[in-house]
Amino acid sequence: MAKTELNKAVDNFFKKYNGNSITKDAVKKSFNLKDKNEYGNLLHAIVNYYYPIEAKKTTIKILLDLGVNPNHQSAVTGMSLLKD
């Protein structure tokens, strides 16, 4: 599967930040929290690729705290992160 611009932004984020340096400010500066693609939103992009688990957990918690919707459904699969 070819990576979308959203996936590339997530890749670049995890290349720049490691688990210890991920902060709310870093997340807010790195992403448009409303970004989506046909596969989902930022949460989908993070969960569906291989990044260090602690970095993923920290980033996901921050995104949830900032209001990114975990129930957003993928246009391709119709699935969200919390339900199918």
Side-chain angles (χ1 to χ4, degrees), residues 5 8 33 58:
E5 291 304 313
K8 290 175 188 175
L33 300 179
T58 299

Side-chain angles (χ1 to χ4, degrees), residues 2-16:
K3 290 195 176 185
T4 67
E5 291 304 313
L6 178 62
N7 298 112
K8 290 175 188 175
V10 172
D11 283 348
N12 289 335
F13 176 81
F14 283 112
K15 286 178 187 171
K16 184 174 182 178

Side-chain angles (χ1 to χ4, degrees), residues 22-76:
I22 297 172
T23 65
K24 189 177 279 192
D25 285 337
V27 170
K28 286 168 47 174
K29 287 178 186 175
S30 299
F31 301 115
N32 173 347
L33 300 179
K34 296 182 181 188
D35 273 352
K36 299 175 183 131
N37 62 32
E38 63 273 20
Y39 299 101
N41 62 14
L42 279 165
L43 295 170
H44 289 87
I46 292 168
V47 168
N48 289 321
Y49 283 93
Y50 297 102
Y51 303 112
I53 191 69
E54 290 304 317
K56 284 171 71 164
K57 287 170 31 178
T58 299
T59 306
I60 289 167
K61 181 182 180 329
I62 291 169
L63 290 171
L64 292 171
D65 289 346
L66 291 171
V68 175
N69 183 3
N71 292 311
H72 176 78
Q73 291 182 300
S74 163
V76 172

